Amino acid sequence: MIDAAELGRVFRVRRQVVHAVRDLSFHVAPGEFVACLGPNGAGKSTTIKMLTGILAPTSGRIRVDGLDPARRRTALARRIGVVFGQRTTLWWDLPLRDSLELNRLLYKVDRKVFRDRLDELCVLLDLGGFLTTPVRQLSLGQRMRGDIAAALLHDPAVLVLDEPTIGLDVVSKAEVRDFLRRRNAEHGTTVLLTTHDLGDVERLCRRVLLIDHGSLAFDGTLDGLRALVPGRTSIEDVVADLYLSSRGSPRTPPRRPVRGETSGTA
Amino acid sequence: MIRTYALLAWAWTRAAAQYRVSFALMTAGAFVIGGLDIAVIWVIFANTDSLAGFGPAEVMFLYGTSELAFAISDTLFGNVDRVSQHIRAGTLDVMLVRPAATWAQVAADRFGPHRIGRIVMAAAVLCVALARLDIPLGRAWMVPVMVVSGSVIFTSMFTLGGALQFLLTDAPEVANAFTYGGAMLNQYPLSVYDPRIVMGLTYVLPLAFVNWRPGLYVLDRPDPLGLPSWTGLLSPAAALALAAVAALAWRAGVRRYRSTGS
Ligand SMILES: Nc1ncnc2c1ncn2[C@@H]1O[C@H](COP(=O)(O)OP(=O)(O)O)[C@@H](O)[C@H]1O
Ligand SMILES: [Mg+2]
């Protein structure tokens, strides 16, 4: 479903070259639920932008559902759903319902199909109470649920979420996580999300990609990740240890990713 | 592309209609501004019979054709040369993941029907001028061609301006401002985004094709520069060529888009 091979992206910032992503290779099979974990500036968002066609890679190759995202961006847009935790894909001044209707027209979803899907999403995401509220008046939790609904109305095979739980309170977080887990299990939607909330990972994902300084530091299960740092039981400590141990040598040549023994790679 | 534009414009119209008072004020404002322009012409001709050898009706004709072309392209598509705002706000990322033409999404953003007021005003001026000029049909057919070509030329200029902004965000200071929280903001070359510069370019460069050359043809006047009169018919060709260049530039711009570090 998602295939990245030696993917890289550099930015030139004031004559300096920033390797936002370097030599990133991974494969996500249909129906998988994968979390991309990493500290701020690790390159998670840049990876997402290359997956969705917003940014063209500067090296390597990427395919999503068989398409080259940067070249076939519009075709790909019909097959994937994208959620940005930091900014809404809804129209700020329109009521949520109108935003969703506008998406229906842009994605050319049949009216009856749309109604059925919206009914389902309304129940699962509990949108009923604020469908007629302008998006700018929604709470962050409500807005995020609206954004997720908007990303799923065209029933994409892949759902990509960049920090979907950022800034949410515990209740909203739980709602979003529950929904995503059910969606993945019941519809078989492939889900790739980025986060630095370890709670997301522990509750959701069979598979973790740990990204550090733009390259893949670990690809495998949560247990595999724990086993990397003996003597630590909390996943939080494990990840902090891994980040700290790589800090002394920032932007070194890419290390080979460590593979968990029961990696979810298909 | 047209469908995307129409859908979004309609959505914005409904959103704007929710604020009735400001909606009415903005519509009225558009008419007042159009009216002021006409008042200026009227004041000039209250004091003199001709302007550089052109009578009042002829000046209104030249004003009307270029203003109508400009009003159409600026009110409907002028947003595309403000794409830097979407780049900075990160909203362009959102537009790029929708299955719809980015150009149309940017152009239709915040569309308001009050903007139509300006087009109506310019069209009214042109109609008055035409009524007083009594142009033979053999040359009058050029008038709509002039307006359409002019709109295409202005729209292409806006699009070129927008395409340029994709490249200018590659300027290191800009990326820096994004990435490091705006500390470098004062080094940011604001002047390159000054809309007046873009406007100046949009007006001056193609003006000859929009209404001067073809206008002379319609009015059956010799060119002071001595160019043969058939050059007045070149507007559509110029419009098409410019539109093709603008479309390519826009595509290249989107491909070189580098988003913002957030
Ligand atoms: N548009 C951009 N211009 C310049 N540098 C960028 C840009 N986008 C990201 N970066 C840089 O690339 C690195 C990775 O950023 P990002 O992918 O946003 O990280 P994350 O999402 O993991 O926090 C950072 O060092 C960031 O400053
Ligand atoms: Mg990020």
Side-chain angles (χ1 to χ4, degrees), chain A residues 39-46 86 162-163 194 196, chain B residues 262:
Chain A
N40 288 326
K44 305 181 295 295
S45 297
T46 304
Q86 312 260 30
D162 194 6
E163 305 201 15
T194 75
H196 36 221
Chain B
S262 51

Side-chain angles (χ1 to χ4, degrees), chain A residues 73-75 77-78 106-108, chain B residues 4 95-101 105:
Chain A
R73 180 167 44 76
T74 317
R78 290 183 201 288
L106 289 178
Y107 284 85
K108 299 197 171 116
Chain B
T4 301
M95 295 181 183
L96 285 170
V97 298
R98 291 191 189 122
Q105 292 187 62

Side-chain angles (χ1 to χ4, degrees), chain A residues 33-45:
Chain A
F33 198 132
V34 181
C36 219
L37 197 66
N40 288 326
K44 305 181 295 295
S45 297

Side-chain angles (χ1 to χ4, degrees), chain A residues 9 11-15 18 45 49 52-56 70-71 73-74 77-78 80 82 84 86-95 98 101-108 134 136 162, chain B residues 3-4 7-8 11-12 14-15 18-19 89-102 105 109-110 170 172-173 175-176 179-180 184 187 254-262:
Chain A
R9 172 76 210 201
F11 292 105
R12 280 187 182 75
V13 182
R14 302 214 299 149
R15 301 232 175 94
V18 176
S45 297
K49 286 172 188 170
T52 51
I54 295 171
L55 281 177
R71 289 188 178 281
R73 180 167 44 76
T74 317
R78 290 183 201 288
I80 61 172
V82 187
F84 299 105
Q86 312 260 30
R87 59 182 62 103
T88 184
T89 56
L90 304 166
W91 285 266
W92 208 240
D93 293 302
L94 299 182
D98 293 17
E101 171 69 14
L102 202 47
N103 264 327
R104 175 185 88 75
L105 293 163
L106 289 178
Y107 284 85
K108 299 197 171 116
R136 77 188 117 75
D162 194 6
Chain B
R3 183 175 174 273
T4 301
L7 287 174
L8 293 171
W12 281 111
R14 278 188 307 172
Q18 290 177 353
Y19 308 94
T91 40
L92 198 75
D93 285 6
V94 174
M95 295 181 183
L96 285 170
V97 298
R98 291 191 189 122
T102 315
Q105 292 187 62
D109 195 57
R110 312 214 149 261
D170 276 358
E173 286 80 4
N176 235 282
T179 314
Y180 301 113
M184 309 292 287
Q187 288 187 16
V254 171
R255 190 150 297 167
R256 297 211 26 194
Y257 174 57
R258 49 182 283 171
S259 189
T260 56
S262 51

